[in-house]
Amino acid sequence: MQIKPSDLEPGQEDISSELPPKLSDEDVRTQKLLNDQLEQDIKERERYAKNIFALISIWLIGLGFVIVWQGNENNGFNLSETLMLSLVGGTTINVLGLFFVVLKYLFPEPNRPSK
């Protein structure tokens, strides 16, 4: 229904030019597909975040067991100081790197205009 300026009461404004245009069926389908894609992406991000958290937790718990086992002198388990430093340092770097990569995936930077 088209509103004519003569149909308006005094003091009313014609806002029909401010309304968005009607979307075609193709535009509606495209928007639905984009929404479905975003929803799937969110679910996948949640799944990967949980899996990475579990991996990092298990990794750090394992490192904790090695450190405790190393600290107990009565069990015959003895790693050199160099090996322990490498194990702790390498694990720390790997965990932080993995965490950084996952964060960059979960929270990407918004698209910036090219120069």
PDB file of all heavy atoms in Angstrom, residues 54-64 87 90-92 94-95 98:
ATOM      1  N   ALA A  54      40.774 -28.849  26.833  1.00  0.00           N
ATOM      2  CA  ALA A  54      41.023 -30.185  27.376  1.00  0.00           C
ATOM      3  C   ALA A  54      42.459 -30.630  27.072  1.00  0.00           C
ATOM      4  O   ALA A  54      43.148 -31.170  27.954  1.00  0.00           O
ATOM      5  CB  ALA A  54      40.022 -31.185  26.800  1.00  0.00           C
ATOM      6  N   LEU A  55      42.927 -30.398  25.854  1.00  0.00           N
ATOM      7  CA  LEU A  55      44.285 -30.778  25.479  1.00  0.00           C
ATOM      8  C   LEU A  55      45.318 -30.055  26.335  1.00  0.00           C
ATOM      9  O   LEU A  55      46.249 -30.680  26.866  1.00  0.00           O
ATOM     10  CB  LEU A  55      44.525 -30.483  23.997  1.00  0.00           C
ATOM     11  CG  LEU A  55      45.949 -30.712  23.498  1.00  0.00           C
ATOM     12  CD1 LEU A  55      46.297 -32.184  23.548  1.00  0.00           C
ATOM     13  CD2 LEU A  55      46.113 -30.158  22.099  1.00  0.00           C
ATOM     14  N   ILE A  56      45.160 -28.743  26.490  1.00  0.00           N
ATOM     15  CA  ILE A  56      46.110 -27.969  27.280  1.00  0.00           C
ATOM     16  C   ILE A  56      46.070 -28.412  28.739  1.00  0.00           C
ATOM     17  O   ILE A  56      47.114 -28.541  29.389  1.00  0.00           O
ATOM     18  CB  ILE A  56      45.827 -26.459  27.130  1.00  0.00           C
ATOM     19  CG1 ILE A  56      46.207 -25.994  25.728  1.00  0.00           C
ATOM     20  CG2 ILE A  56      46.580 -25.650  28.177  1.00  0.00           C
ATOM     21  CD1 ILE A  56      45.828 -24.561  25.413  1.00  0.00           C
ATOM     22  N   SER A  57      44.879 -28.688  29.268  1.00  0.00           N
ATOM     23  CA  SER A  57      44.759 -29.131  30.660  1.00  0.00           C
ATOM     24  C   SER A  57      45.473 -30.461  30.870  1.00  0.00           C
ATOM     25  O   SER A  57      46.234 -30.619  31.840  1.00  0.00           O
ATOM     26  CB  SER A  57      43.284 -29.271  31.043  1.00  0.00           C
ATOM     27  OG  SER A  57      42.636 -28.035  30.958  1.00  0.00           O
ATOM     28  N   ILE A  58      45.240 -31.407  29.982  1.00  0.00           N
ATOM     29  CA  ILE A  58      45.894 -32.719  30.102  1.00  0.00           C
ATOM     30  C   ILE A  58      47.404 -32.568  29.971  1.00  0.00           C
ATOM     31  O   ILE A  58      48.179 -33.198  30.708  1.00  0.00           O
ATOM     32  CB  ILE A  58      45.322 -33.700  29.053  1.00  0.00           C
ATOM     33  CG1 ILE A  58      43.877 -34.034  29.406  1.00  0.00           C
ATOM     34  CG2 ILE A  58      46.168 -34.957  28.954  1.00  0.00           C
ATOM     35  CD1 ILE A  58      43.128 -34.764  28.315  1.00  0.00           C
ATOM     36  N   TRP A  59      47.837 -31.752  29.045  1.00  0.00           N
ATOM     37  CA  TRP A  59      49.253 -31.505  28.820  1.00  0.00           C
ATOM     38  C   TRP A  59      49.916 -30.961  30.090  1.00  0.00           C
ATOM     39  O   TRP A  59      50.962 -31.432  30.523  1.00  0.00           O
ATOM     40  CB  TRP A  59      49.389 -30.491  27.691  1.00  0.00           C
ATOM     41  CG  TRP A  59      50.698 -30.388  27.006  1.00  0.00           C
ATOM     42  CD1 TRP A  59      51.937 -30.710  27.495  1.00  0.00           C
ATOM     43  CD2 TRP A  59      50.920 -29.901  25.686  1.00  0.00           C
ATOM     44  NE1 TRP A  59      52.892 -30.450  26.569  1.00  0.00           N
ATOM     45  CE2 TRP A  59      52.304 -29.956  25.446  1.00  0.00           C
ATOM     46  CE3 TRP A  59      50.091 -29.412  24.702  1.00  0.00           C
ATOM     47  CZ2 TRP A  59      52.864 -29.527  24.245  1.00  0.00           C
ATOM     48  CZ3 TRP A  59      50.663 -29.012  23.511  1.00  0.00           C
ATOM     49  CH2 TRP A  59      52.024 -29.067  23.293  1.00  0.00           C
ATOM     50  N   LEU A  60      49.286 -29.976  30.717  1.00  0.00           N
ATOM     51  CA  LEU A  60      49.856 -29.365  31.921  1.00  0.00           C
ATOM     52  C   LEU A  60      49.783 -30.305  33.122  1.00  0.00           C
ATOM     53  O   LEU A  60      50.697 -30.313  33.956  1.00  0.00           O
ATOM     54  CB  LEU A  60      49.155 -28.045  32.220  1.00  0.00           C
ATOM     55  CG  LEU A  60      49.411 -26.944  31.199  1.00  0.00           C
ATOM     56  CD1 LEU A  60      48.612 -25.698  31.538  1.00  0.00           C
ATOM     57  CD2 LEU A  60      50.894 -26.612  31.108  1.00  0.00           C
ATOM     58  N   ILE A  61      48.734 -31.097  33.217  1.00  0.00           N
ATOM     59  CA  ILE A  61      48.648 -32.082  34.300  1.00  0.00           C
ATOM     60  C   ILE A  61      49.760 -33.113  34.142  1.00  0.00           C
ATOM     61  O   ILE A  61      50.412 -33.503  35.119  1.00  0.00           O
ATOM     62  CB  ILE A  61      47.252 -32.745  34.330  1.00  0.00           C
ATOM     63  CG1 ILE A  61      46.217 -31.731  34.824  1.00  0.00           C
ATOM     64  CG2 ILE A  61      47.246 -33.983  35.212  1.00  0.00           C
ATOM     65  CD1 ILE A  61      44.775 -32.175  34.652  1.00  0.00           C
ATOM     66  N   GLY A  62      49.991 -33.559  32.911  1.00  0.00           N
ATOM     67  CA  GLY A  62      51.099 -34.503  32.661  1.00  0.00           C
ATOM     68  C   GLY A  62      52.439 -33.907  33.043  1.00  0.00           C
ATOM     69  O   GLY A  62      53.278 -34.585  33.664  1.00  0.00           O
ATOM     70  N   LEU A  63      52.659 -32.657  32.703  1.00  0.00           N
ATOM     71  CA  LEU A  63      53.896 -31.987  33.088  1.00  0.00           C
ATOM     72  C   LEU A  63      54.007 -31.898  34.614  1.00  0.00           C
ATOM     73  O   LEU A  63      55.088 -32.115  35.175  1.00  0.00           O
ATOM     74  CB  LEU A  63      53.962 -30.590  32.475  1.00  0.00           C
ATOM     75  CG  LEU A  63      55.196 -29.766  32.849  1.00  0.00           C
ATOM     76  CD1 LEU A  63      56.475 -30.418  32.338  1.00  0.00           C
ATOM     77  CD2 LEU A  63      55.062 -28.350  32.320  1.00  0.00           C
ATOM     78  N   GLY A  64      52.910 -31.623  35.279  1.00  0.00           N
ATOM     79  CA  GLY A  64      52.905 -31.577  36.744  1.00  0.00           C
ATOM     80  C   GLY A  64      53.293 -32.916  37.341  1.00  0.00           C
ATOM     81  O   GLY A  64      54.074 -32.974  38.308  1.00  0.00           O
ATOM     82  N   LEU A  87      62.003 -29.528  29.011  1.00  0.00           N
ATOM     83  CA  LEU A  87      60.628 -30.015  29.088  1.00  0.00           C
ATOM     84  C   LEU A  87      59.677 -28.915  29.552  1.00  0.00           C
ATOM     85  O   LEU A  87      58.651 -28.655  28.927  1.00  0.00           O
ATOM     86  CB  LEU A  87      60.544 -31.222  30.032  1.00  0.00           C
ATOM     87  CG  LEU A  87      59.169 -31.849  30.219  1.00  0.00           C
ATOM     88  CD1 LEU A  87      58.675 -32.433  28.909  1.00  0.00           C
ATOM     89  CD2 LEU A  87      59.234 -32.920  31.288  1.00  0.00           C
ATOM     90  N   GLY A  90      59.808 -25.895  26.900  1.00  0.00           N
ATOM     91  CA  GLY A  90      59.149 -26.279  25.649  1.00  0.00           C
ATOM     92  C   GLY A  90      57.646 -26.408  25.810  1.00  0.00           C
ATOM     93  O   GLY A  90      56.874 -25.971  24.944  1.00  0.00           O
ATOM     94  N   THR A  91      57.232 -26.997  26.921  1.00  0.00           N
ATOM     95  CA  THR A  91      55.797 -27.135  27.175  1.00  0.00           C
ATOM     96  C   THR A  91      55.143 -25.772  27.337  1.00  0.00           C
ATOM     97  O   THR A  91      54.062 -25.518  26.801  1.00  0.00           O
ATOM     98  CB  THR A  91      55.553 -27.997  28.425  1.00  0.00           C
ATOM     99  OG1 THR A  91      56.089 -29.303  28.184  1.00  0.00           O
ATOM    100  CG2 THR A  91      54.084 -28.111  28.742  1.00  0.00           C
ATOM    101  N   THR A  92      55.804 -24.897  28.060  1.00  0.00           N
ATOM    102  CA  THR A  92      55.251 -23.554  28.262  1.00  0.00           C
ATOM    103  C   THR A  92      55.102 -22.824  26.931  1.00  0.00           C
ATOM    104  O   THR A  92      54.048 -22.227  26.653  1.00  0.00           O
ATOM    105  CB  THR A  92      56.147 -22.743  29.213  1.00  0.00           C
ATOM    106  OG1 THR A  92      56.263 -23.449  30.448  1.00  0.00           O
ATOM    107  CG2 THR A  92      55.596 -21.364  29.457  1.00  0.00           C
ATOM    108  N   ASN A  94      54.874 -24.148  23.910  1.00  0.00           N
ATOM    109  CA  ASN A  94      53.844 -24.811  23.093  1.00  0.00           C
ATOM    110  C   ASN A  94      52.437 -24.471  23.571  1.00  0.00           C
ATOM    111  O   ASN A  94      51.547 -24.213  22.755  1.00  0.00           O
ATOM    112  CB  ASN A  94      54.045 -26.325  23.114  1.00  0.00           C
ATOM    113  CG  ASN A  94      55.129 -26.767  22.170  1.00  0.00           C
ATOM    114  OD1 ASN A  94      55.254 -26.226  21.082  1.00  0.00           O
ATOM    115  ND2 ASN A  94      55.915 -27.737  22.587  1.00  0.00           N
ATOM    116  N   VAL A  95      52.216 -24.472  24.870  1.00  0.00           N
ATOM    117  CA  VAL A  95      50.892 -24.174  25.407  1.00  0.00           C
ATOM    118  C   VAL A  95      50.509 -22.730  25.094  1.00  0.00           C
ATOM    119  O   VAL A  95      49.393 -22.453  24.640  1.00  0.00           O
ATOM    120  CB  VAL A  95      50.829 -24.455  26.923  1.00  0.00           C
ATOM    121  CG1 VAL A  95      49.594 -23.844  27.548  1.00  0.00           C
ATOM    122  CG2 VAL A  95      50.863 -25.949  27.176  1.00  0.00           C
ATOM    123  N   LEU A  98      49.858 -22.409  21.283  1.00  0.00           N
ATOM    124  CA  LEU A  98      48.584 -23.015  20.927  1.00  0.00           C
ATOM    125  C   LEU A  98      47.427 -22.135  21.391  1.00  0.00           C
ATOM    126  O   LEU A  98      46.458 -21.913  20.653  1.00  0.00           O
ATOM    127  CB  LEU A  98      48.479 -24.406  21.547  1.00  0.00           C
ATOM    128  CG  LEU A  98      47.297 -25.267  21.176  1.00  0.00           C
ATOM    129  CD1 LEU A  98      47.248 -25.496  19.672  1.00  0.00           C
ATOM    130  CD2 LEU A  98      47.371 -26.592  21.899  1.00  0.00           C
TER     131      LEU A  98
END
